[in-house]
Structures are given as structure tokens and as C-alpha cells.
Amino acid sequence: MNPQLAHTITKAARTVGNTWPLYTFVASNPLTGYEDMSFRKAGLLAGEYRSAQAFPGVKALRKAWKNGAIDAKLLKAALKKEGFTETPDHYLNFLEAQKPEISANAHQELDRVMVKWLAAFLDEGLAEWSMPFKTEGFYTAWRYLAIYDTEIGRVSLKDIPKTPEETLENLLQEYSPEEQEEIFTRHLAALPGWTGYIRQRVQAATDWQQEYPISLEEYLAVRLWTCDRLNLPFFVDIARQKKESEAQQLQYLWLKAWEESWQKNLLSKLEKSGISAERKEANARPDAQLVFCIDTRSEAIRRNIEAQGNYETFGYAGFFGIAMDYESTRDGITRKACPPIVESAYTVTEKPREEEQAAFKKYEQKNRLKNFKDYAFKRMKNMLPSAFGFVEGSGVFYGIALMGRTLFPASIYKGKEQRANDLESCCEPDMHKNAHADEPVLNISLAEKTAIVKGAFDLMGWKTFAPVVVFAGHGSHSANNPFSSSLDCGACAASPGRHNARMLAALANLPEVQRQLKEQHGIEIPQDTLFVGAEHNTTTNAIVLFDSAFTKARQAQLESLKASLKKAQQTANAESFQTAGNTNLKAFKKANNWSETRPEWGLSKNAGFIVGPRALTQNMDLDGQCFLHSYDWKSDAEGKALEAIMKGPMTVTQWINNHYYFSAVDNEQYGGGSKITHNITGKFGVVQGNGGDLKVGLPLQSLFSSDDELYHLPLRLSVVIQAPVSRVSQILIDNPQLKSLLDNKWIHLLVIDPQQNEEVFRYAKGLDWKTVEKSLSAKNSKPEQAVMA
């Protein structure tokens, strides 16, 4: 492709984010292309192209104001600083009086034609008859078939250029490079869901993309050629908004005051709980240590487990430091199981244990039978000769099944759960290096295995090891939910974290790894310490320990812990449902109810990320609003562990936060719309009703308690780190991309400096730090050792 043309398309694609397929629905910033500019400017600019809102609506602001979530002093000071001298209620009334400008879509017919072609080409096995010529690529396949499309009129093959580059050059030769960028931007932003999916397929180089290639260049060539054929202008000349409107300015000021009020409340809670408090009996050995994902849903179960006895909990990104892909034995598909921003270095498969060969063969037979049934039912439903007969003949059986799922969802769920761990009961995880091209598959050296385990220990600052150490990944369970993967582990690329947890436990149990840790790193693990992989089901709060490979004596060692975990499940669910009784049964019903639009709240309400020891938050109920990452600044003299946390988990939580934020402030444009009218297309995406754009974000029911009542807090992420300010400053100097996120206000950063009497400092643009008083009013003083060149 012409380099100039490629560069122009890349710049134009900034307005669309990545649309992830339903089976790996990863939370990501829909405005990731604009992260090099301020949050405020990016939201407004992208909003112009996508006719989307960037800031919370007046209804959400009024509710926050009425509930006292916005501090009156902070709000009035922010308004006064910008010249707004009336009362807050006056400005709320002003915002309510604003009427949105709705303009007709001049390219509606063009959009409809493009959706037809994209749905046919990008289909991943849902359609019974596949589009011809797909292996030739999107443009070529469309070119061969467009001559039969009556919607664009009579056309012959010779009328369509042979390559997309030739098409674009012919159509745009009269336009300047700046005008070409504007044209590309508007046409990519017209269907941001579809174009975002094309972008994601290209970047991920998926198997579907390699077999059936498509690119933004091909899409634009087809779209602009069709646009010209339909006698439509390449873009409608809409007057650009020169600056923020008064309403937008007010919305941003209210948002800023809301965020600072939230931070003020959090810091107040931290102070009351004892910012500098050390863990009680710091040298005492706990009965068990449990490591959970930093996910906001882990906070409640951690509190309830700690209340059951002498247990210690930690927070660690749910992929547990293993940059891996996981090859499923169930369907043979290899899926990413680490953050999207991390390149996978390993592939983990399942290996049957010697003593469980017979059980594994039985599992394989059941799995093959299930896969054949699924294939046979699909063929019977979709093939023209059998479709009508199958539907009529099987209706009574489907009706009985539907009644069972409706009347007895909890009983059916329990049966599914018993079968869910069949694979883990007879297999153990096996890890290999990822091979490139014709390279052989390589085994992993002892040094690499040891480094993975040591990395986990370093980030959590471990000095004492309990008799039982549990690594608990997390996953979710819901019925009839296209967006179910969005409820799994974001750090595992929307996959369950159980496989990563099992793999880390297996590595930590290896005698040779423990010997290497002692001899080379001075980390001595007691002989009686057992590392166990586990999974936390975030819908039911059940925690399953994968202990089938252990001896009877070792399994007996876990009985007391299992009993405590069941009690913690009950109390955590009682807290969630705010009721007594058998709340576990209620959770089971909710998880398996096919008509349940809110099986769980996921990461709704997320607003903060706290990096520090458990003592910082142990006495607090954070209401599921904070990600919690364990960190001990005293055991990280060089700051390497903190740098890894800021470069990895902090960036991932910012993506999650932005995903929820934009889905909440404009669910129609940045979210997923209502589940009630969702239809799955091509196995990879959802459309509203019978067509239109792919939905790019979270459905309305994941963010709203009713159709217009927000449950999620639409606030930007506030990061709180307990560490010397000088250390944080150096990390930002060494990582300009992190500094840019802070300078552009995509993230707020507050640092509790233990070397300066636990003084709290707020990051300001350009490595400027301002002390935060208890009233949260900023002073211009600089922290000692924090002013760095």
C-alpha cells in the first residue's frame, strides 16, 4: 500500500477503538487512539465524530449531588474558579434545560449496505452457507459478488478496480491529504463497532483473519466506491464545534468535583483505618494465605475469609505473572490468558496424570459425544431439508428443558458445577514455550520457572509462608448471556483465571524450584507449605480448590480451610443480597436463570486502584469500588516491583475503568444497549434488533439498576500508592507513556509517602506534586526528595 495512504488511514482510525469478539470480550478504552491528548479534549473530539457524550449526564450528577457524593465546598470552588458564580442547583437546572441536537444520518443507506457485506464476510461459523471467495480477502470477494447486488444498480466487473489502493486513489485524487484524513475519519466513525472489529482482527492476527483477511483499507475502498455509486457525498460538511459549550464545561467541572469528593472520602477512610498500621503479629504464621485477583469483586470475599480465622489475603493481577495462552481440551481452541498488552510467551495444555489415565479417557469420550451432539443439533436446525421437521419434532423436549431451567435453576446449576471440574480432577497443567515459525516447541528451563515464582513473591512482598498458600483465579457463571466473557478475568484476556492459578501453584510446588529459590535468592519455603490452585466464582462466591492430585493426608490438611471458605461464601452472599437465609441458593438460582439480565454486577462501581499492604485497607468495606494490589515498599528497594505494577495492572485497570465510564455516560454509542433486543451476529458480535452497528461496550443492564438509573459510578480511575514519592517520580520519568496518561488526566494519582510521615501527595502535570490536606484542598508545597529533573 502507498505509505502516505497507510499513514492517513492509521491517523483516521484513532476515532475507533478495538471491538473485541464476544468470546474474549476484553475491557478496553474506546478512545485509546486519543490517549496522547487530554481526556477532556479527546472525549469532545471523538464525540463529534461519533455523536456521543463524553461526560456524565445531568440525571447522574443530580443524584450524586442529592446523595451527598459531591462535596459542596469542592464543587463551588471549582465552579467559581471558572467564573460560574450561581448556585449548583441553578446549573443543574440549566443542564436539564439543554436539548440534544439530533441530525439525520445522510449515509444511512450506505451503512445498511456495508453492514450486509461485513456480516456475510466476517461470519465465524454461524451462517450455514459461507460467502464465496472469502479466502481471497474482503475486497476481492466483494468485487466478484457486487455485480449481483441489485441495491447498487447494474455494474460489470470491469467497472470495479482490481485493488483497494487503486479504488481509493481514483476516488480521492482531487482531495488534499488533510481532506482525505477527514473523509476516512468520518467513514470509519460511521460504523465504529464494525471497523473496530476489523482493527482488532488485524492487530491480533487471529486464525480467522489469516484465513479470511480484511483490512481498514479494503473496507474504506468498498465503502467509498459504494458511496460514489449511490451518488452520496463522501462527507456531509458539518460545522465543527470550535470549543467546549457551556454545558460541556459545566459537566466536566461537576465530574471533576465528584472525583475529588470520592478521593476525599477514600482518604478519610484510609486514615481512620490506620494508614501506617502494621499487620497484627507481623511475625506470626497464618493458617493459610490466599492470593486473589486485584478485581474489585475480590474485595468482599477477602474480607469475609479474613473474618473466619487466622487467614491472610493478597491481591495480584489474575494472570499471576504468567504470560501464557491456554489450549482448551474441550474444544481444541487456544485462547490468550494474559493481558492483551502482554505478548504470550508460553502455551499451557492439559496432561493426564499417570494414575488417572482411565478417568481422562472417560472424560475424552464424554467430551467427544457432547461435541458431536452440539454439531448434530446445529446441522439439524440449520439445514433446509430438516429444519422444519426438527423444530416441530423436538419442541416438546426443548419445552421440558426450558421448564426445568425456569423452575429448578439452582438444582441444574449444582449438577453443572459438579461436572465443571472433571478435567482438573484427572489432569495437570503442562507449559511450553511458544514456538515461532518452524521453531521446535521448547521446554522451559528451571531458571524461567523459578523467575515466574519469584516474581509473584516479590510483587506481594512475602516474608512468611503459611502451611497452605492458595492462588485463586476467578471466573463467572451465567446463563443465556452473550457478554459472559466480560465477567471473567480481564487480566486473562476475558478468560477464567483458573488455569494460570493452577500453573503457578504447580511451579511453586516443584522441589527443584524451591531449592533454586533458597540457594540463589535466599527465599526459604517451609517443607510443610503446600501451594494450591483455585477458582473464585464471582457470581456465587464459591471457591473451588484443585487438590485432587494431592495425597489423602494433604487433602485432609485442607478440610478446615474448605469449611471456612463455605462460611465466607455464605456471609459474602448475605452481604451482597442484603438478606438472611440461604443466600447461596439465591446465588445459584441467579447464576443459572436464563432470563436473568443482571447475573452479577461485574466491575460496576470501579473507581479506585489501591497499591499497598493489606493493612492499608483491611478494616474497610470498599463496596466493590477498588482494585487492590498487594505491595510492600520496604522490600522493593529499587522500585522494580512497583514499576511492573504501574506498567501492567495500573494500565489494565485504566482500560477497564474507561470501558465502564464511557459505556455508562453514553450507552447507546459507547456501550452495548439493552440486552432485551440483542441479536448475535457471526458468533463474534451483537447488534441491536435486526441490524446496524456492532455494539462495542457493556450492555445497559451491566451499568444501570433500571433503564435510566445509573448503578455504576462514572468516574475516572483514582490510583492510590503507598510508596516514597521519589520512587514513583523516577518510574514516571523512565516510562513516558505512564506520565502521559497522568498529564492528560486519564488517571488520577495519589501517593502516600511512608518516608514523610504518611503525607499524601497528588500528582499534577509535569511531575509536580501537591500535598493533600484532610480537607483535600491543595497547597503548592513540594515533597522532599520528590522534585526530580
Side-chain angles (χ1 to χ4, degrees), residues 422-440:
D422 286 350
L423 180 65
E424 284 84 357
S425 66
C426 60
C427 291
E428 60 186 17
D430 189 32
M431 188 162 70
H432 299 282
K433 280 187 176 179
N434 279 348
H436 298 283
D438 296 328
E439 292 178 359

Side-chain angles (χ1 to χ4, degrees), residues 376-389:
F377 283 148
K378 179 179 181 294
R379 295 289 293 171
M380 292 290 286
K381 286 189 292 184
N382 292 348
M383 283 195 307
L384 192 60
S386 61
F388 296 102

Side-chain angles (χ1 to χ4, degrees), residues 309-470:
N310 185 24
Y311 300 127
E312 196 174 50
T313 69
F314 297 82
Y316 187 26
F319 74 112
F320 294 108
I322 307 178
M324 60 179 257
D325 296 327
Y326 178 75
E327 184 180 334
S328 172
T329 306
R330 291 185 174 89
D331 55 20
I333 297 175
T334 299
R335 296 177 175 86
K336 195 172 181 65
C338 61
I341 60 175
V342 175
E343 184 178 354
S344 301
Y346 310 105
T347 294
V348 170
T349 58
E350 298 290 347
K351 181 173 67 175
R353 297 195 300 275
E354 287 296 326
E355 68 277 14
E356 298 290 348
Q357 291 288 342
F360 180 68
K361 287 182 180 178
K362 185 176 179 181
Y363 167 82
E364 282 191 311
Q365 290 173 351
K366 287 167 61 178
N367 193 49
R368 281 196 296 268
L369 180 61
K370 178 184 179 300
N371 290 338
F372 174 76
K373 285 181 179 177
D374 291 344
Y375 170 78
F377 283 148
K378 179 179 181 294
R379 295 289 293 171
M380 292 290 286
K381 286 189 292 184
N382 292 348
M383 283 195 307
L384 192 60
S386 61
F388 296 102
F390 176 80
V391 170
E392 291 191 10
S394 62
V396 63
F397 300 104
Y398 276 99
I400 293 171
L402 183 62
M403 286 182 63
R405 291 200 301 270
T406 304
L407 299 176
F408 311 105
S411 299
I412 294 174
Y413 173 81
K414 288 179 181 178
K416 288 181 178 179
E417 282 296 280
Q418 290 175 355
R419 297 188 296 272
N421 303 321
D422 286 350
L423 180 65
E424 284 84 357
S425 66
C426 60
C427 291
E428 60 186 17
D430 189 32
M431 188 162 70
H432 299 282
K433 280 187 176 179
N434 279 348
H436 298 283
D438 296 328
E439 292 178 359
V441 176
L442 301 174
N443 289 324
I444 301 167
S445 68
L446 176 59
E448 283 185 84
K449 294 176 181 177
T450 305
I452 290 171
V453 177
K454 181 180 180 296
F457 293 172
D458 286 348
L459 255 65
M460 288 175 286
W462 265 342
K463 299 181 181 67
T464 304
F465 292 90
V468 177
V469 178
V470 176

Side-chain angles (χ1 to χ4, degrees), residues 29 89 153 182 194 303 330 371 461 474 487 534 580 631 708:
N29 182 7
D89 286 310
E182 182 71 10
W194 288 102
R303 273 190 292 104
R330 291 185 174 89
N371 290 338
H474 68 94
L487 300 175
Y631 174 70
D708 58 358

Side-chain angles (χ1 to χ4, degrees), residues 692-709:
D693 197 17
L694 282 184
K695 307 313 287 185
V696 301
L698 295 159
L700 181 143
Q701 286 81 4
S702 294
L703 303 151
F704 289 71
S705 53
S706 64
D707 284 352
D708 58 358
E709 192 76 18

Side-chain angles (χ1 to χ4, degrees), residues 644-764:
I645 293 170
M646 293 176 69
K647 288 172 64 178
M650 189 178 83
T651 302
V652 172
T653 52
Q654 176 244 325
W655 275 21
I656 294 171
N657 173 265
N658 287 156
H659 190 78
Y660 275 79
Y661 173 90
F662 285 108
S663 292
V665 298
D666 194 333
N667 193 255
E668 184 62 32
Q669 295 299 323
Y670 290 122
S674 176
K675 284 183 175 182
I676 297 170
T677 52
H678 278 172
N679 275 316
I680 295 176
T681 183
K683 285 190 175 182
F684 60 84
V686 159
V687 294
Q688 202 84 57
N690 65 350
D693 197 17
L694 282 184
K695 307 313 287 185
V696 301
L698 295 159
L700 181 143
Q701 286 81 4
S702 294
L703 303 151
F704 289 71
S705 53
S706 64
D707 284 352
D708 58 358
E709 192 76 18
L710 259 178
Y711 176 84
H712 175 65
L713 305 177
L715 307 174
R716 286 170 291 180
L717 188 71
S718 294
V719 179
V720 179
I721 299 175
Q722 187 186 49
V725 173
S726 56
R727 184 177 300 175
V728 178
S729 291
Q730 188 59 57
I731 290 171
L732 295 176
I733 290 170
D734 295 340
N735 296 273
Q737 74 281 10
L738 294 180
K739 181 175 175 294
S740 175
L741 288 174
L742 293 169
D743 286 341
N744 288 318
K745 299 298 182 184
W746 293 91
I747 301 176
H748 300 296
L749 177 61
L750 301 164
V751 175
I752 302 169
D753 194 329
Q755 293 182 338
Q756 299 190 60
N757 197 30
E758 306 296 346
E759 191 78 64
V760 181
F761 298 96
R762 178 194 300 281
Y763 179 87

